[in-house]
Amino acid sequence: MPLPSDLQIDVSKFDPTNSNPKTEVFNKKLIHIAKDGPRWYEVGAAKYRQMRWNGETPLPKPVVIESGVNGTIPSRDPGRELTYRLFNPEKGEVKGIYMHIHGGGWVLQSEAYQDGLLKYMADNTGLAVVSIGYRLAPEDPWPAGAEDCYDFAEYLVEHGKERFGGELMFTGGESAGGHFAALVSLYLLKSKPNFAFRGLLLHFGCFDLSGFLPMVDHHERGLVIDHDIMKRYIDVLLPNTTIEQRRHPSISPFFADLRGLKLPPALFTCGTEDPLLDDTVFMSAKWMMWGNEAVVRIYNGAPHGFIMFPPGTIDAVQEGLDASTDFVKEKLG
């Protein structure tokens, strides 16, 4: 009888020969259209943001849904406010709040770029989904964006019920948003020790900003993001910092000492054609090593950002949405 392992991995989830042909066609299309447009650092972050909003990049123009509500809350700085975009569930009362943190490499996008995802989560969970705006690099490097996330989270802990009709229960986001959400959960353990999240939704997050885990170096397809894009994101987010400084747990949650901490249950999702796959696998393993609950869902062949594409684009989109809503409903009880 073979010696059993204390860790188990379903290899079929990572085997590229098991990728759905529809997904492979989609990936090749993404690689092709990316060749037709500039990268953000070639034109400048501010200009690229406007180009993306105008539909002048290879990716489609963001869809604006009229039921979304824009607003502001105070920040820690006098006279400066934090923006948000809110979607309430179409039916029923608000059960709680999901604080969503958008992706974009800490450089691009805003709370206004993912209305479809926000509305879907609100309508299918009964939560008020509040996507927060935070300061972006390179104009506002570290720790500006993180501090905005902390300020927003503390505001929701203190004023969520009166302002949005429910208590803060979940946070999460995609890519850079997943990174910030993990940091928010660790931050609130200290700043609000009597508060506890019901759960985190950490979609293809980057959890080690000190360098790169192997998948970033070995992923050569140029699919959505690659080594060059990641390096430039992190360089403008963390200018004039050393590798050792970037390993501080307040920057890279992968290096946090999680022993003895009661972390929220977390859903980790990632596609196998994502350079940040190792970040998801390794961070979720650390989450579980110290006695915390982690649900890990791996989508064979799915690229970075897959959950942001319209449902039906590839099977992984709906599967990722279903995992997200099922996780939330389970934690709501």
Side-chain angles (χ1 to χ4, degrees), residues 18 25 41 51 58 86 93 100 105 109 117 136-138 148 151 186 189 192 225 252 254 270 290-291 298 312 315 331:
N18 291 332
V25 170
Y41 50 83
M51 290 174 63
L86 166 70
E93 296 182 355
H100 173 266
Q109 302 188 159
L117 174 62
L136 300 172
D148 289 348
D151 290 353
L186 296 174
L189 287 176
K192 299 290 182 182
I225 58 173
S252 295
F254 184 72
C270 197
W290 306 125
I298 302 298
D315 293 346
K331 300 310 173 188

Side-chain angles (χ1 to χ4, degrees), residues 30-156:
L30 281 181
I31 294 171
H32 177 73
I33 65 174
K35 296 178 180 179
D36 297 332
R39 296 190 168 202
W40 69 267
Y41 50 83
E42 296 172 339
V43 299
K47 182 176 180 180
Y48 193 90
R49 292 179 203 128
Q50 190 60 53
M51 290 174 63
R52 173 78 172 86
W53 185 257
N54 294 340
E56 298 169 353
T57 71
L59 294 175
K61 177 180 173 64
V63 175
V64 178
I65 298 176
E66 292 184 359
S67 58
V69 177
N70 297 323
T72 62
I73 67 163
S75 78
R76 66 179 63 191
D77 302 320
R80 185 175 66 86
E81 296 187 316
L82 301 175
T83 58
Y84 67 79
R85 187 150 175 82
L86 166 70
F87 281 88
N88 281 313
E90 187 174 337
K91 298 178 181 179
E93 296 182 355
V94 170
K95 298 177 181 178
I97 298 171
Y98 169 37
M99 177 179 135
H100 173 266
I101 309 176
H102 71 82
W106 311 278
V107 171
L108 305 176
Q109 302 188 159
S110 75
E111 70 277 14
Y113 278 67
Q114 51 277 310
D115 277 10
L117 174 62
L118 304 180
K119 187 177 189 307
Y120 185 94
M121 290 300 296
D123 291 344
N124 288 275
T125 63
L127 299 174
V129 178
V130 185
S131 187
I132 73 168
Y134 55 86
R135 288 170 290 175
L136 300 172
E139 297 91 337
D140 292 292
W142 190 271
E147 289 178 347
D148 289 348
C149 293
Y150 302 153
D151 290 353
F152 216 113
E154 290 183 322
Y155 180 89
L156 290 178

